[in-house]
Amino acid sequence: MRIVQVDTFPLLYRNSKPYGDANGLKAYRSTYFIRLVTESGITGWGECSGWLPALECAFREQIIPYILGQDARLRTKIVQTIGSWHTRPASAVSMALTDIAARRAGQSVCGLWGGPLREQVPVYASFQSYTEDETWESVSLQRIEEALTKGFTRMKVKVGGKPLADDMRHIRALQSRFGRHIELALDANQSYDAAAACAWQPLIGKWDNWMWFEEPLPLHQWQPYAHCRQKLGIPISGGENVAEAKIFMNAVQQQAFDILQPDPVHVGDLDEYRGILQLARFAEIRVSPHTYDGALARCYALYAQACLKPWSKMEPDSIEPVEWDMMDNPFTSIVPLEAEQGMVRIPSGTGVGLDVDEELMRHYRWDGSRYW
């Protein structure tokens, strides 16, 4: 089970029209795939996100020389070692080694984890609400209408990137037009202080179809988060960029969140990622994974969610939704997993259970030129 080959696939796509959130407009999308091959021919795929030049350097100069010759069965040791150097690349290696372990056992990833508790998992449509022109509000409403026609009834939109009055006008228009048909989440990407976040309370109080308010404040401000939980009357969520279970534990102890949102490409180890899901269950709060940055990573989030026990004993079939990127992003087609009526059926094939589109990866392979 020695690893004899490591292939890397840095991918870049320049958006035809920039879109974004409170952190600014995005001119491109990128992701980084890896493939590990063992001496017996078993392959495993992984994915991570980050600045492509830094990822390329990390893999070429340190990670690949370390991985080659390692026993793929020593997943914990390998991932922990790489994680001590680079957290995000470790997530890709963790996925790939998990894929190999499942294939070697003749199991799906869910089978490796003890088997799924459900055959399908709900997803919510995730939008980047801002564009570079003055028609951003109408464009946003059009995107939501298109998602609704595709069967999505759970939606997430961005706030915090415009003045409060503009964002509130957008949300009022959205609710007036679609509020009877959808559940809605707001995502501020940590752009407010507590006073500005609480200014949303009068508007929030007008509707009852809210899913959550995501990261209204900078992370680690646990006491202001707890204040917003009490003041706003809407579930508060967060944690997409948190890399360690102990930080989630601190947030839970400070009663900062109603919903945890770990991301498989930001937590450096799938085992630790699944531990965060269990932490939420032990704390009796919900967990709705963030998966904006990767299509293969989204698969692993869906598989973990399929294996997670229900969040409420009063609703034995209930499970929280996983993020589903609705923006212009060809990388979501690399893995042939589709949502139908807001649900994704979990594949049962060996390993990750899906064939990645290598031709598409070759087409979008980054050539090493500047893109920022």
Side-chain angles (χ1 to χ4, degrees):
M1 284 293 286
R2 299 290 173 183
I3 299 169
V4 297
Q5 182 177 330
V6 181
D7 301 312
T8 62
F9 304 85
L11 306 180
L12 177 69
Y13 171 69
R14 290 178 175 84
N15 296 334
S16 56
K17 293 183 178 180
Y19 54 75
D21 54 23
N23 294 321
L25 297 179
K26 298 172 177 64
Y28 63 88
R29 297 292 296 266
S30 64
T31 191
Y32 197 96
F33 275 73
I34 69 166
R35 175 173 56 197
L36 306 185
V37 184
T38 70
E39 58 190 346
S40 59
I42 301 175
T43 62
W45 287 94
E47 183 183 26
C48 59
S49 68
W51 192 43
L52 295 182
L55 293 174
E56 276 282 88
C57 181
F59 273 96
R60 297 298 175 192
E61 296 187 5
Q62 191 171 24
I63 297 172
I64 292 177
Y66 168 73
I67 289 178
L68 288 174
Q70 293 285 345
D71 188 334
R73 291 170 295 188
L74 302 179
R75 185 173 74 250
T76 300
K77 172 193 170 185
I78 295 171
V79 173
Q80 287 187 353
T81 298
I82 296 173
S84 69
W85 304 332
H86 312 282
T87 299
R88 292 198 174 185
S91 68
V93 175
S94 180
M95 291 178 202
L97 291 175
T98 298
D99 192 11
I100 288 173
R103 292 179 189 274
R104 180 172 181 270
Q107 295 270 2
S108 66
V109 168
C110 287
L112 186 71
W113 290 342
L117 297 177
R118 53 195 61 83
E119 295 182 351
Q120 53 185 5
V121 172
V123 292
Y124 67 87
S126 179
F127 297 96
Q128 300 281 301
S129 297
Y130 303 120
T131 61
E132 57 188 347
D133 53 47
E134 296 180 356
T135 64
W136 68 271
E137 292 180 59
S138 60
V139 171
S140 172
L141 296 181
Q142 180 181 352
R143 287 174 179 158
I144 291 167
E145 184 171 22
E146 290 171 354
L148 190 58
T149 63
K150 294 178 181 178
F152 288 94
T153 58
R154 299 179 179 94
M155 315 274 187
K156 183 173 80 176
V157 298
K158 300 295 185 175
V159 297
K162 299 287 183 180
L164 271 172
D166 292 351
D167 275 337
M168 289 181 176
R169 183 179 63 245
H170 172 221
I171 299 305
R172 278 194 294 267
L174 190 162
Q175 286 282 37
S176 297
R177 187 168 172 180
F178 304 110
R180 292 174 297 173
H181 308 292
I182 67 172
E183 296 177 64
L184 184 64
L186 307 179
D187 183 0
N189 293 104
Q190 306 182 46
S191 58
Y192 296 133
D193 60 14
C198 289
W200 280 89
Q201 194 281 327
L203 187 146
I204 287 171
K206 293 182 178 181
W207 289 277
D208 61 2
N209 63 330
W210 303 108
M211 292 197 296
W212 60 72
F213 199 160
E214 185 169 329
E215 296 192 343
L217 313 175
L219 285 184
H220 304 286
Q221 294 189 9
W222 305 136
Q223 289 186 342
Y225 263 101
H227 171 74
C228 287
R229 283 187 64 211
Q230 297 297 320
K231 180 73 173 179
L232 282 170
I234 183 176
I236 301 295
S237 68
E240 66 187 64
N241 288 306
V242 174
E244 298 176 274
K246 64 182 181 182
I247 299 176
F248 279 105
M249 172 67 81
N250 193 15
V252 169
Q253 290 174 333
Q254 298 294 323
Q255 299 184 341
F257 294 137
D258 297 284
I259 303 169
L260 303 187
Q261 293 181 299
D263 190 314
V265 297
H266 299 164
V267 178
D269 184 344
L270 274 179
D271 292 333
E272 184 159 1
Y273 170 81
R274 294 183 66 223
I276 294 166
L277 305 187
Q278 293 298 332
L279 167 65
R281 288 297 182 261
F282 295 149
E284 298 183 335
I285 61 177
R286 285 173 283 168
V287 55
S288 186
H290 178 275
T291 61
Y292 178 75
D293 289 321
L296 185 62
R298 182 171 66 188
C299 290
Y300 279 99
L302 287 161
Y303 298 164
Q305 209 76 347
C307 297
L308 188 63
K309 70 179 183 179
W311 68 271
S312 170
K313 67 180 180 181
M314 302 304 295
E315 301 179 52
D317 297 325
S318 66
I319 193 70
E320 303 93 321
V322 173
E323 184 173 30
W324 192 267
D325 178 18
M326 298 295 290
M327 304 306 295
D328 177 23
N329 180 10
F331 304 145
T332 57
S333 300
I334 291 175
V335 180
L337 201 60
E338 298 294 334
E340 296 183 5
Q341 301 300 310
M343 302 291 291
V344 174
R345 186 163 295 277
I346 303 300
S348 58
T350 304
V352 75
L354 301 164
D355 293 324
V356 301
D357 190 334
E358 293 186 54
E359 182 176 348
L360 192 62
M361 286 197 290
R362 284 192 292 271
H363 179 75
Y364 288 108
R365 189 181 186 94
W366 176 53
D367 63 7
S369 62
R370 289 177 61 95
Y371 63 91
W372 57 92

